[in-house]
Amino acid sequence: MKLRRVVVTGLGALTPLGNTVPEYWNGLINGVSGADRITRFDATKFKTQFACEVKNFDPLNFFDRKEVRKYDPYAQYGMVSSDEAIADAGLIPEKLDLDRIGVIWASGIGGLVTFQDEVSDYAKGDGTPRFNPFFIPKMIADITAGHISIKHGFRGPNFATVSACASSANAIVDAFNYIRWGKADMFVCGGSEAAVNAPELVVLMRCMPFLPATMIRKPHPDHLT
């Protein structure tokens, strides 16, 4: 079997360094730190009070209010960054075989914000089993790949890769292999995460004995690299 060549035609980014590819690249080459004081929740009682959050992101600039309620933040990040990549590639869906375009979108943990909100609301109640009907669809790790394909009409292979911090790299390699093996012509691939919340931070704090002291107690998070 002759392997096909594979090229990257479009890029997208929504990161702690910048919310577009140019912003991200500018921050990267100028040594800007993505770390800052946590704003997503009150971290005053936590030993670690900084994290790398996505900043100045308003989902209402990209989705209507109904859609925002249906998408976990990790899915919002994935859809916005993939839209940038698709636009950057200059794809014209009407001229493409949509059955040959797939989506492989990764997440190490999926909709953790949704899981925390739903379980917390239930725990605060009187035991009545009330949950958002979108609880599971918002939370599962492969829902973003589904949303991207539905939005753009892509009908090729569609799934998520979950391999901890290597999840997105895994997705890109899988897409590379599918194309060079002739299983598809194009892929939207990458990954997203929205895990800056109290449970995640508590778990990471348990790892403190394994981290350098400077990574834990640095007084000015904007100086971290």
Side-chain angles (χ1 to χ4, degrees), residues 92-102 152-157:
I92 304 175
E94 309 84 65
K95 297 184 178 180
L96 301 171
D97 182 354
L98 301 181
D99 292 328
R100 299 280 299 173
I101 304 176
H152 298 283
F154 302 147
R155 297 188 294 268

Side-chain angles (χ1 to χ4, degrees), residues 6 8 39-41 68 73 81 104 111 134 138 160 169 188 196 208 214:
V6 183
V8 176
T39 63
R40 303 300 171 88
F41 63 94
V68 170
S81 58
I104 305 176
F134 294 111
K138 287 175 67 175
V188 177
V196 179
M208 280 186 175
T214 54

